[in-house]
Structure formats: C-alpha cells, structure tokens
Amino acid sequence: MAVFTSWSVFPYILNESRSGLPVNSGYEKLNEENDREAGLIDSVQENMPDTHTRHDQLTYLSAREYIRQHHPSVVFLGLGETDECAHAGRYDLYLQHVADADRMIAELWYTIQTDPYYKDSTTLLITTDHGRGWKPGKWTTHGFWAQGSGDIWLAVMGPDILPQGELKTPGQVYQKQLAATIARLMGDPAGAGHPPGKPIRFPSADKPSMLASTTQLFPPITPAGKLYPEK
C-alpha cells in the first residue's frame, strides 16, 4: 500500500509514524536508486518553493513512477490544487485544475491497462473529501457553516463494474462506507477491525440488478433539510 498526496498535512492525518503507511506528501522526494525518471521528478521538486501543497502534476508523476516500479496493491492518490484555487476565489484556475485532474485520471487508467500486473484486475474509486458551499458567497469554502459542502460525488470504474454512466436512482450513500467498500473490492468483505459503514454494492457485470440500495450518492437538500430526488 502507498499514499501520495499534494497536501503536506497527510502524514499527520494518517498518523504515518503509528500506522506504518508509506506516505509521500508535499515536496517529499522518491529517493529511488537507479531510477532515472524518479531522479528527474526529485530534481524538479528540489527546486520548487516550499509550500504546503505540492503541484498535483508532481504528486501524480511521483505516484505513477512508484506504481510502475513497486506494483502496490492499494494506492491512495490525493490531489489538492482545486481546493487551493477555490479558497483563493480563482474559479478560472479551479476549472483548469479540474480538467488537469481528469487528464491525470485518464493517463493513470491507461498506465493500469497497459501493465500486465494490473490489466483487467484493478478498480479506480474516485471521490473527494468534501464539497463546496452552494451559495455564491460560500463556494470558496467548506465546513459546518457552508451549506452544501457536505455533498460529494463518487465515480467507480473497473473490470467487475457494469458501466452505467451517471446513476439517477434517488437515494444516498456515505463517505464512511468507502473503507468497507475498498475492503470488499480487495476480496475481504469484513476488512480489518470494524468498518464504520457497509460496503456500497455497485452494478455488476454478472449481476446487473445488484445495485446499491441508494445509488444517487448525495441528492439535493432542501432548505428544510429534506431529501428529494432530481427530476
């Protein structure tokens, strides 16, 4: 297992010293011996200004090179420039980094599908840690006072997932279900310890009806706090 993140706070979030997870965050080097590409990435990072959030492109390239060299079974890749640009009120740069993230995901899927170790046996689970406030004056922030920032989205693709595009069925699943979902995808339905939520059941190529009982991840919320399905 390996963790690559742009935000330098993740070693503390994941308690790297206690958990033993290999976490590469901020402008941390790969330090791979006899790896020319890793050396080039490290040399670029060495000359970058010391900031809390590394450029997502460098985070992605570091993760991709590590994946190519070590073939970990699970990788957590956390990008951060969209959040930085939103907090700065730069919607133009926010959209640019969203497009960049989309391109990186496409390249990562190509890398997976052209590597015999991963080809047709790997699932991508793509989501975000929070949303953004839905009011015009609140889109730059998130948290308790930013209504709507608790709504997130989830995209999944893999050999056992039936492609269905954007799911429209009314319902709700939760971020707390992701740990159990990942454990289930890895072939361990119970997972380590006691997962906080039940696994999400996705449409399966073998069992198309095996949909999550709630498949529209976070339906709109009325001002009164009641859920209602989109038309």
Side-chain angles (χ1 to χ4, degrees):
M1 187 169 178
V3 177
F4 287 84
T5 71
S6 296
W7 195 25
S8 62
V9 181
F10 266 94
Y12 306 98
I13 295 173
L14 299 175
N15 202 338
E16 183 179 13
S17 60
R18 188 192 70 184
S19 67
L21 289 171
V23 182
N24 181 290
S25 292
Y27 286 101
E28 187 175 348
K29 294 181 180 180
L30 285 166
N31 293 320
E32 295 280 354
E33 294 185 5
N34 303 316
D35 185 337
R36 183 173 177 272
E37 289 192 32
L40 287 172
I41 295 168
D42 285 350
S43 66
V44 172
Q45 295 195 133
E46 193 173 19
N47 293 289
M48 297 300 294
D50 187 17
T51 58
H52 290 300
T53 303
R54 169 169 55 185
H55 287 298
D56 286 341
Q57 182 70 34
L58 289 170
T59 301
Y60 161 69
L61 290 174
S62 297
R64 189 182 68 176
E65 185 59 20
Y66 186 91
I67 290 169
R68 189 176 69 85
Q69 287 287 348
H70 299 282
H71 291 115
S73 297
V74 179
V75 175
F76 176 91
L77 176 59
L79 305 180
E81 284 188 291
T82 49
D83 191 50
E84 291 288 327
C85 292
H87 283 304
R90 291 295 305 271
Y91 190 61
D92 55 338
L93 295 180
Y94 177 83
L95 294 180
Q96 177 182 315
H97 287 300
V98 168
D100 289 342
D102 189 63
R103 173 183 52 78
M104 286 182 244
I105 292 168
E107 288 181 4
L108 181 59
W109 183 250
Y110 176 82
T111 299
I112 289 169
Q113 287 299 94
T114 54
D115 187 329
Y117 184 87
Y118 292 113
K119 179 178 171 60
D120 294 333
S121 63
T122 303
T123 298
L124 288 187
L125 199 155
I126 308 157
T127 189
T128 182
D129 55 343
H130 57 74
R132 313 214 69 84
W134 60 264
K135 292 183 178 180
K138 291 287 187 179
W139 78 270
T140 61
T141 188
H142 50 85
F144 181 79
W145 299 108
Q147 188 175 3
S149 63
D151 298 346
I152 62 174
W153 52 269
L154 171 69
V156 184
M157 57 191 298
D160 303 317
I161 309 296
L162 182 68
Q164 289 198 325
E166 183 179 354
L167 298 177
K168 301 291 186 179
T169 307
Q172 191 168 20
V173 294
Y174 297 89
Q175 191 182 67
K176 67 180 181 180
Q177 295 178 255
L178 295 180
T181 301
I182 293 169
R184 193 173 192 273
L185 290 169
M186 293 292 293
D188 183 3
H194 303 281
K198 295 181 179 180
I200 302 168
R201 292 181 176 270
F202 300 110
S204 166
D206 297 327
K207 299 178 181 178
S209 62
M210 195 174 72
L211 230 66
S213 59
T214 52
T215 50
Q216 182 183 322
L217 297 183
F218 290 91
I221 302 177
T222 67
K226 296 180 179 179
L227 298 177
Y228 66 92
E230 288 184 325
K231 295 181 179 178

mmCIF file with all atom_site columns, all heavy atoms in Angstrom, residues 14-29:
data_model
loop_
_atom_site.group_PDB
_atom_site.id
_atom_site.type_symbol
_atom_site.label_atom_id
_atom_site.label_alt_id
_atom_site.label_comp_id
_atom_site.label_asym_id
_atom_site.label_entity_id
_atom_site.label_seq_id
_atom_site.pdbx_PDB_ins_code
_atom_site.Cartn_x
_atom_site.Cartn_y
_atom_site.Cartn_z
_atom_site.occupancy
_atom_site.B_iso_or_equiv
_atom_site.pdbx_formal_charge
_atom_site.auth_seq_id
_atom_site.auth_comp_id
_atom_site.auth_asym_id
_atom_site.auth_atom_id
_atom_site.pdbx_PDB_model_num
ATOM 1   N N   . LEU A 1 14 ? -2.946 10.694 8.585  1.00 0.00 ? 14 LEU A N   1
ATOM 2   C CA  . LEU A 1 14 ? -2.878 9.235  8.538  1.00 0.00 ? 14 LEU A CA  1
ATOM 3   C C   . LEU A 1 14 ? -1.974 8.661  9.627  1.00 0.00 ? 14 LEU A C   1
ATOM 4   O O   . LEU A 1 14 ? -1.802 7.445  9.702  1.00 0.00 ? 14 LEU A O   1
ATOM 5   C CB  . LEU A 1 14 ? -2.388 8.779  7.159  1.00 0.00 ? 14 LEU A CB  1
ATOM 6   C CG  . LEU A 1 14 ? -3.281 9.185  5.979  1.00 0.00 ? 14 LEU A CG  1
ATOM 7   C CD1 . LEU A 1 14 ? -2.634 8.788  4.660  1.00 0.00 ? 14 LEU A CD1 1
ATOM 8   C CD2 . LEU A 1 14 ? -4.663 8.562  6.095  1.00 0.00 ? 14 LEU A CD2 1
ATOM 9   N N   . ASN A 1 15 ? -1.413 9.539  10.457 1.00 0.00 ? 15 ASN A N   1
ATOM 10  C CA  . ASN A 1 15 ? -0.538 9.120  11.556 1.00 0.00 ? 15 ASN A CA  1
ATOM 11  C C   . ASN A 1 15 ? 0.518  8.140  11.044 1.00 0.00 ? 15 ASN A C   1
ATOM 12  O O   . ASN A 1 15 ? 0.591  6.978  11.476 1.00 0.00 ? 15 ASN A O   1
ATOM 13  C CB  . ASN A 1 15 ? -1.361 8.488  12.680 1.00 0.00 ? 15 ASN A CB  1
ATOM 14  C CG  . ASN A 1 15 ? -0.629 8.538  14.016 1.00 0.00 ? 15 ASN A CG  1
ATOM 15  O OD1 . ASN A 1 15 ? 0.587  8.659  14.053 1.00 0.00 ? 15 ASN A OD1 1
ATOM 16  N ND2 . ASN A 1 15 ? -1.375 8.435  15.099 1.00 0.00 ? 15 ASN A ND2 1
ATOM 17  N N   . GLU A 1 16 ? 1.344  8.636  10.136 1.00 0.00 ? 16 GLU A N   1
ATOM 18  C CA  . GLU A 1 16 ? 2.325  7.796  9.456  1.00 0.00 ? 16 GLU A CA  1
ATOM 19  C C   . GLU A 1 16 ? 3.225  7.045  10.438 1.00 0.00 ? 16 GLU A C   1
ATOM 20  O O   . GLU A 1 16 ? 3.527  5.859  10.228 1.00 0.00 ? 16 GLU A O   1
ATOM 21  C CB  . GLU A 1 16 ? 3.178  8.658  8.518  1.00 0.00 ? 16 GLU A CB  1
ATOM 22  C CG  . GLU A 1 16 ? 4.195  7.873  7.707  1.00 0.00 ? 16 GLU A CG  1
ATOM 23  C CD  . GLU A 1 16 ? 5.003  8.754  6.785  1.00 0.00 ? 16 GLU A CD  1
ATOM 24  O OE1 . GLU A 1 16 ? 4.958  9.995  6.943  1.00 0.00 ? 16 GLU A OE1 1
ATOM 25  O OE2 . GLU A 1 16 ? 5.686  8.208  5.897  1.00 0.00 ? 16 GLU A OE2 1
ATOM 26  N N   . SER A 1 17 ? 3.652  7.709  11.500 1.00 0.00 ? 17 SER A N   1
ATOM 27  C CA  . SER A 1 17 ? 4.578  7.064  12.437 1.00 0.00 ? 17 SER A CA  1
ATOM 28  C C   . SER A 1 17 ? 3.940  5.877  13.154 1.00 0.00 ? 17 SER A C   1
ATOM 29  O O   . SER A 1 17 ? 4.612  4.891  13.460 1.00 0.00 ? 17 SER A O   1
ATOM 30  C CB  . SER A 1 17 ? 5.081  8.088  13.466 1.00 0.00 ? 17 SER A CB  1
ATOM 31  O OG  . SER A 1 17 ? 3.992  8.633  14.195 1.00 0.00 ? 17 SER A OG  1
ATOM 32  N N   . ARG A 1 18 ? 2.624  5.956  13.432 1.00 0.00 ? 18 ARG A N   1
ATOM 33  C CA  . ARG A 1 18 ? 1.951  4.863  14.124 1.00 0.00 ? 18 ARG A CA  1
ATOM 34  C C   . ARG A 1 18 ? 1.434  3.796  13.157 1.00 0.00 ? 18 ARG A C   1
ATOM 35  O O   . ARG A 1 18 ? 1.554  2.599  13.404 1.00 0.00 ? 18 ARG A O   1
ATOM 36  C CB  . ARG A 1 18 ? 0.778  5.401  14.949 1.00 0.00 ? 18 ARG A CB  1
ATOM 37  C CG  . ARG A 1 18 ? 0.136  4.341  15.861 1.00 0.00 ? 18 ARG A CG  1
ATOM 38  C CD  . ARG A 1 18 ? -1.186 4.832  16.434 1.00 0.00 ? 18 ARG A CD  1
ATOM 39  N NE  . ARG A 1 18 ? -2.213 4.909  15.393 1.00 0.00 ? 18 ARG A NE  1
ATOM 40  C CZ  . ARG A 1 18 ? -3.444 5.379  15.601 1.00 0.00 ? 18 ARG A CZ  1
ATOM 41  N NH1 . ARG A 1 18 ? -3.780 5.843  16.786 1.00 0.00 ? 18 ARG A NH1 1
ATOM 42  N NH2 . ARG A 1 18 ? -4.325 5.412  14.622 1.00 0.00 ? 18 ARG A NH2 1
ATOM 43  N N   . SER A 1 19 ? 0.843  4.250  12.032 1.00 0.00 ? 19 SER A N   1
ATOM 44  C CA  . SER A 1 19 ? 0.210  3.310  11.097 1.00 0.00 ? 19 SER A CA  1
ATOM 45  C C   . SER A 1 19 ? 1.232  2.542  10.266 1.00 0.00 ? 19 SER A C   1
ATOM 46  O O   . SER A 1 19 ? 0.951  1.432  9.809  1.00 0.00 ? 19 SER A O   1
ATOM 47  C CB  . SER A 1 19 ? -0.737 4.062  10.160 1.00 0.00 ? 19 SER A CB  1
ATOM 48  O OG  . SER A 1 19 ? -0.012 4.929  9.292  1.00 0.00 ? 19 SER A OG  1
ATOM 49  N N   . GLY A 1 20 ? 2.405  3.150  10.056 1.00 0.00 ? 20 GLY A N   1
ATOM 50  C CA  . GLY A 1 20 ? 3.408  2.494  9.225  1.00 0.00 ? 20 GLY A CA  1
ATOM 51  C C   . GLY A 1 20 ? 3.152  2.617  7.736  1.00 0.00 ? 20 GLY A C   1
ATOM 52  O O   . GLY A 1 20 ? 3.867  2.027  6.923  1.00 0.00 ? 20 GLY A O   1
ATOM 53  N N   . LEU A 1 21 ? 2.140  3.402  7.362  1.00 0.00 ? 21 LEU A N   1
ATOM 54  C CA  . LEU A 1 21 ? 1.847  3.599  5.944  1.00 0.00 ? 21 LEU A CA  1
ATOM 55  C C   . LEU A 1 21 ? 2.964  4.413  5.286  1.00 0.00 ? 21 LEU A C   1
ATOM 56  O O   . LEU A 1 21 ? 3.409  5.407  5.850  1.00 0.00 ? 21 LEU A O   1
ATOM 57  C CB  . LEU A 1 21 ? 0.518  4.338  5.767  1.00 0.00 ? 21 LEU A CB  1
ATOM 58  C CG  . LEU A 1 21 ? -0.761 3.588  6.086  1.00 0.00 ? 21 LEU A CG  1
ATOM 59  C CD1 . LEU A 1 21 ? -1.950 4.551  6.056  1.00 0.00 ? 21 LEU A CD1 1
ATOM 60  C CD2 . LEU A 1 21 ? -0.980 2.458  5.088  1.00 0.00 ? 21 LEU A CD2 1
ATOM 61  N N   . PRO A 1 22 ? 3.410  4.007  4.103  1.00 0.00 ? 22 PRO A N   1
ATOM 62  C CA  . PRO A 1 22 ? 4.373  4.832  3.376  1.00 0.00 ? 22 PRO A CA  1
ATOM 63  C C   . PRO A 1 22 ? 3.657  6.031  2.754  1.00 0.00 ? 22 PRO A C   1
ATOM 64  O O   . PRO A 1 22 ? 2.864  5.881  1.835  1.00 0.00 ? 22 PRO A O   1
ATOM 65  C CB  . PRO A 1 22 ? 4.924  3.883  2.301  1.00 0.00 ? 22 PRO A CB  1
ATOM 66  C CG  . PRO A 1 22 ? 3.846  2.868  2.093  1.00 0.00 ? 22 PRO A CG  1
ATOM 67  C CD  . PRO A 1 22 ? 3.110  2.750  3.404  1.00 0.00 ? 22 PRO A CD  1
ATOM 68  N N   . VAL A 1 23 ? 3.892  7.229  3.268  1.00 0.00 ? 23 VAL A N   1
ATOM 69  C CA  . VAL A 1 23 ? 3.197  8.431  2.829  1.00 0.00 ? 23 VAL A CA  1
ATOM 70  C C   . VAL A 1 23 ? 4.186  9.397  2.185  1.00 0.00 ? 23 VAL A C   1
ATOM 71  O O   . VAL A 1 23 ? 5.176  9.789  2.812  1.00 0.00 ? 23 VAL A O   1
ATOM 72  C CB  . VAL A 1 23 ? 2.485  9.126  4.006  1.00 0.00 ? 23 VAL A CB  1
ATOM 73  C CG1 . VAL A 1 23 ? 1.726  10.353 3.521  1.00 0.00 ? 23 VAL A CG1 1
ATOM 74  C CG2 . VAL A 1 23 ? 1.543  8.157  4.720  1.00 0.00 ? 23 VAL A CG2 1
ATOM 75  N N   . ASN A 1 24 ? 3.923  9.772  0.950  1.00 0.00 ? 24 ASN A N   1
ATOM 76  C CA  . ASN A 1 24 ? 4.734  10.758 0.240  1.00 0.00 ? 24 ASN A CA  1
ATOM 77  C C   . ASN A 1 24 ? 3.870  11.994 0.034  1.00 0.00 ? 24 ASN A C   1
ATOM 78  O O   . ASN A 1 24 ? 2.931  11.971 -0.755 1.00 0.00 ? 24 ASN A O   1
ATOM 79  C CB  . ASN A 1 24 ? 5.207  10.185 -1.101 1.00 0.00 ? 24 ASN A CB  1
ATOM 80  C CG  . ASN A 1 24 ? 6.083  11.152 -1.873 1.00 0.00 ? 24 ASN A CG  1
ATOM 81  O OD1 . ASN A 1 24 ? 5.605  12.167 -2.369 1.00 0.00 ? 24 ASN A OD1 1
ATOM 82  N ND2 . ASN A 1 24 ? 7.362  10.838 -1.984 1.00 0.00 ? 24 ASN A ND2 1
ATOM 83  N N   . SER A 1 25 ? 4.166  13.075 0.768  1.00 0.00 ? 25 SER A N   1
ATOM 84  C CA  . SER A 1 25 ? 3.316  14.267 0.733  1.00 0.00 ? 25 SER A CA  1
ATOM 85  C C   . SER A 1 25 ? 4.167  15.521 0.555  1.00 0.00 ? 25 SER A C   1
ATOM 86  O O   . SER A 1 25 ? 5.359  15.537 0.871  1.00 0.00 ? 25 SER A O   1
ATOM 87  C CB  . SER A 1 25 ? 2.505  14.385 2.020  1.00 0.00 ? 25 SER A CB  1
ATOM 88  O OG  . SER A 1 25 ? 1.551  13.356 2.112  1.00 0.00 ? 25 SER A OG  1
ATOM 89  N N   . GLY A 1 26 ? 3.498  16.588 0.099  1.00 0.00 ? 26 GLY A N   1
ATOM 90  C CA  . GLY A 1 26 ? 4.230  17.826 -0.135 1.00 0.00 ? 26 GLY A CA  1
ATOM 91  C C   . GLY A 1 26 ? 5.325  17.590 -1.162 1.00 0.00 ? 26 GLY A C   1
ATOM 92  O O   . GLY A 1 26 ? 5.134  16.831 -2.108 1.00 0.00 ? 26 GLY A O   1
ATOM 93  N N   . TYR A 1 27 ? 6.467  18.207 -0.974 1.00 0.00 ? 27 TYR A N   1
ATOM 94  C CA  . TYR A 1 27 ? 7.571  18.035 -1.929 1.00 0.00 ? 27 TYR A CA  1
ATOM 95  C C   . TYR A 1 27 ? 8.566  16.988 -1.448 1.00 0.00 ? 27 TYR A C   1
ATOM 96  O O   . TYR A 1 27 ? 9.779  17.139 -1.574 1.00 0.00 ? 27 TYR A O   1
ATOM 97  C CB  . TYR A 1 27 ? 8.252  19.374 -2.191 1.00 0.00 ? 27 TYR A CB  1
ATOM 98  C CG  . TYR A 1 27 ? 7.409  20.269 -3.070 1.00 0.00 ? 27 TYR A CG  1
ATOM 99  C CD1 . TYR A 1 27 ? 6.666  21.302 -2.528 1.00 0.00 ? 27 TYR A CD1 1
ATOM 100 C CD2 . TYR A 1 27 ? 7.330  20.045 -4.443 1.00 0.00 ? 27 TYR A CD2 1
ATOM 101 C CE1 . TYR A 1 27 ? 5.860  22.108 -3.336 1.00 0.00 ? 27 TYR A CE1 1
ATOM 102 C CE2 . TYR A 1 27 ? 6.537  20.832 -5.252 1.00 0.00 ? 27 TYR A CE2 1
ATOM 103 C CZ  . TYR A 1 27 ? 5.812  21.857 -4.691 1.00 0.00 ? 27 TYR A CZ  1
ATOM 104 O OH  . TYR A 1 27 ? 5.011  22.642 -5.499 1.00 0.00 ? 27 TYR A OH  1
ATOM 105 N N   . GLU A 1 28 ? 8.049  15.903 -0.904 1.00 0.00 ? 28 GLU A N   1
ATOM 106 C CA  . GLU A 1 28 ? 8.892  14.803 -0.450 1.00 0.00 ? 28 GLU A CA  1
ATOM 107 C C   . GLU A 1 28 ? 9.421  14.025 -1.653 1.00 0.00 ? 28 GLU A C   1
ATOM 108 O O   . GLU A 1 28 ? 8.684  13.712 -2.590 1.00 0.00 ? 28 GLU A O   1
ATOM 109 C CB  . GLU A 1 28 ? 8.086  13.872 0.460  1.00 0.00 ? 28 GLU A CB  1
ATOM 110 C CG  . GLU A 1 28 ? 8.899  12.788 1.123  1.00 0.00 ? 28 GLU A CG  1
ATOM 111 C CD  . GLU A 1 28 ? 8.072  11.968 2.102  1.00 0.00 ? 28 GLU A CD  1
ATOM 112 O OE1 . GLU A 1 28 ? 6.944  12.391 2.431  1.00 0.00 ? 28 GLU A OE1 1
ATOM 113 O OE2 . GLU A 1 28 ? 8.562  10.917 2.539  1.00 0.00 ? 28 GLU A OE2 1
ATOM 114 N N   . LYS A 1 29 ? 10.699 13.690 -1.622 1.00 0.00 ? 29 LYS A N   1
ATOM 115 C CA  . LYS A 1 29 ? 11.332 13.004 -2.750 1.00 0.00 ? 29 LYS A CA  1
ATOM 116 C C   . LYS A 1 29 ? 10.996 11.514 -2.764 1.00 0.00 ? 29 LYS A C   1
ATOM 117 O O   . LYS A 1 29 ? 10.629 10.928 -1.750 1.00 0.00 ? 29 LYS A O   1
ATOM 118 C CB  . LYS A 1 29 ? 12.851 13.187 -2.687 1.00 0.00 ? 29 LYS A CB  1
ATOM 119 C CG  . LYS A 1 29 ? 13.327 14.607 -2.871 1.00 0.00 ? 29 LYS A CG  1
ATOM 120 C CD  . LYS A 1 29 ? 14.848 14.656 -2.813 1.00 0.00 ? 29 LYS A CD  1
ATOM 121 C CE  . LYS A 1 29 ? 15.368 16.066 -2.998 1.00 0.00 ? 29 LYS A CE  1
ATOM 122 N NZ  . LYS A 1 29 ? 16.859 16.105 -2.929 1.00 0.00 ? 29 LYS A NZ  1
#
